[in-house]
Amino acid sequence: MRRVALIAAAFAVLCGAPPAQAADAAFTQFIASLWPEAQAAGVSRATFDRETRNLEPDYKLPDLILPGRPPTGAPAQAEFVEVPANYIKEGAIARLASEGQKLLQQYRPSLNLIERRFGVPAPVVLAIWGRETDYGRYRLPYDEIRVLATQAYVGRRKDTYRNEFILALKILAEGAVSRKDMTASWAGATGLTQFLPSEYYSHGVDFDGNGHIDIWHSVPDALASAAKQLVDKGWQSGVRWAYEVKAPANVDCTQGVPEVTKPIREWLREGFVPVRGQKLSAAEQAEPASLLQPEGIYGPAFLATPNYFVIKQYNFSDLYVLYVGHLADRMTSPLPFATPWSASTQLRTADVEAMQRGLTRIGLYKDKIDGKAGMLTRAALGAYQKAAGLKVDCWPSQAVLRAINAAR
């Protein structure tokens, strides 16, 4: 009954009936109900009371489910709605690469140790830091505790965020960071290299040896923690993230899915050529790789190694991985991608969702309807183009969307 009352109070207020404090009261009761879980995690009563006192939800956050209001949904992240040329801007890459070269020298002792201990190249962890928080210059705009509390209360993934909220309180209880410095993104990632609290406990490293893990102020701790997260997710030492290649004219872009994996030597036999005359060793040619064509048959093509998909677990976006991988490469080489990005346009999220629904209806797409034109969506689109006798380019466009909608 108590749970029903809480939900009813929240619903009534959000619909605009009773005064606003009733919603806050329901939220306050919800937070109070989490005390046993916090206590079991090792949070003291004093810490719990201090950090939750006067805590209010932030109903302006995205990705909430609020009674009486339309679903807000996640924001349109640049990784999923921008064309590659706009996301991987040469000016930004050049600036971050130049700064990364200086940081390679500034943190050389720590980076050497990180490479030896984890097998992750220094430029890769620096590139993650650069992309996530502009090497620490970007201050995350939200209060971590308020974000996680709100998401646990009315977010789409309540159970996940409930646990993250408890772990965030535990971090504060242990004195790893102050509340004012525990800033976050709207989704609750915090620190120089953007960790959720659960990731802090799973992958955090006290690399500077001062007795606690500090991913907010200690660059060695943050970079080592990023390296450990990659290793824990399967990073293979000595393997590149990807190889840029020139695709053959008759390339079948529907092969561009993670499930189609071949030794690089087989891709080379099929006509894929490493750019700029790069020669691959026998060991490199034996590596398994998947075809990646971020703009379908247009723009650059890549043979993505397993390490590519490890970075993708840090942020599930092909453009994010391309950004990080290319930025890492640029710290040791000044060369941009050999093939320029096409001047393509990107469908709106709603249009990509409509395309995914249409491809699902005709049995060619079996993944999430999320409005993100990733590898599986592009391959399914290419399969439809094959079946319909259209030009097979694996790139979502208004013309193809109209054709799919008409195929009923």
Side-chain angles (χ1 to χ4, degrees), residues 229-251:
Q229 180 168 174
L230 293 177
V231 169
D232 290 345
K233 294 180 183 299
W235 182 270
Q236 298 178 18
S237 178
V239 176
R240 279 185 53 79
W241 64 280
Y243 297 89
E244 186 184 352
V245 292
K246 178 70 174 177
N250 63 344
V251 60

Side-chain angles (χ1 to χ4, degrees), residues 200-264:
Y200 170 88
Y201 282 109
S202 296
H203 314 297
V205 180
D206 172 21
F207 205 73
D208 58 19
N210 69 350
H212 66 273
I213 302 166
D214 184 359
I215 61 172
W216 300 271
H217 309 99
S218 170
V219 172
D221 283 10
L223 297 183
S225 298
K228 185 175 185 296
Q229 180 168 174
L230 293 177
V231 169
D232 290 345
K233 294 180 183 299
W235 182 270
Q236 298 178 18
S237 178
V239 176
R240 279 185 53 79
W241 64 280
Y243 297 89
E244 186 184 352
V245 292
K246 178 70 174 177
N250 63 344
V251 60
D252 181 359
C253 57
T254 65
Q255 292 187 92
V257 291
E259 291 76 16
V260 178
T261 301
K262 311 173 189 177
I264 288 178

Side-chain angles (χ1 to χ4, degrees), residues 73-95:
Q77 292 175 259
E79 291 91 344
F80 301 108
V81 297
E82 290 189 1
V83 296
N86 289 341
Y87 182 79
I88 309 174
K89 291 183 177 178
E90 174 59 25
I93 290 287
R95 176 183 68 81

Side-chain angles (χ1 to χ4, degrees), residues 180-202:
K180 70 178 180 63
D181 288 341
M182 200 179 191
T183 55
S185 68
W186 68 264
T190 184
L192 297 173
T193 49
Q194 292 277 274
F195 276 34
L196 288 169
S198 60
E199 293 170 330
Y200 170 88
Y201 282 109
S202 296

Side-chain angles (χ1 to χ4, degrees), residues 53-66:
R53 186 177 300 119
N54 300 321
L55 184 63
E56 295 182 354
D58 183 355
Y59 293 135
K60 294 181 180 179
L61 291 176
D63 216 22
L64 305 181
I65 300 177
L66 301 174

Side-chain angles (χ1 to χ4, degrees), residues 346-359:
Q346 174 69 57
L347 289 181
R348 297 177 307 151
T349 298
D351 288 336
V352 176
E353 288 180 350
M355 180 172 286
Q356 290 171 331
R357 284 192 292 270
L359 292 168

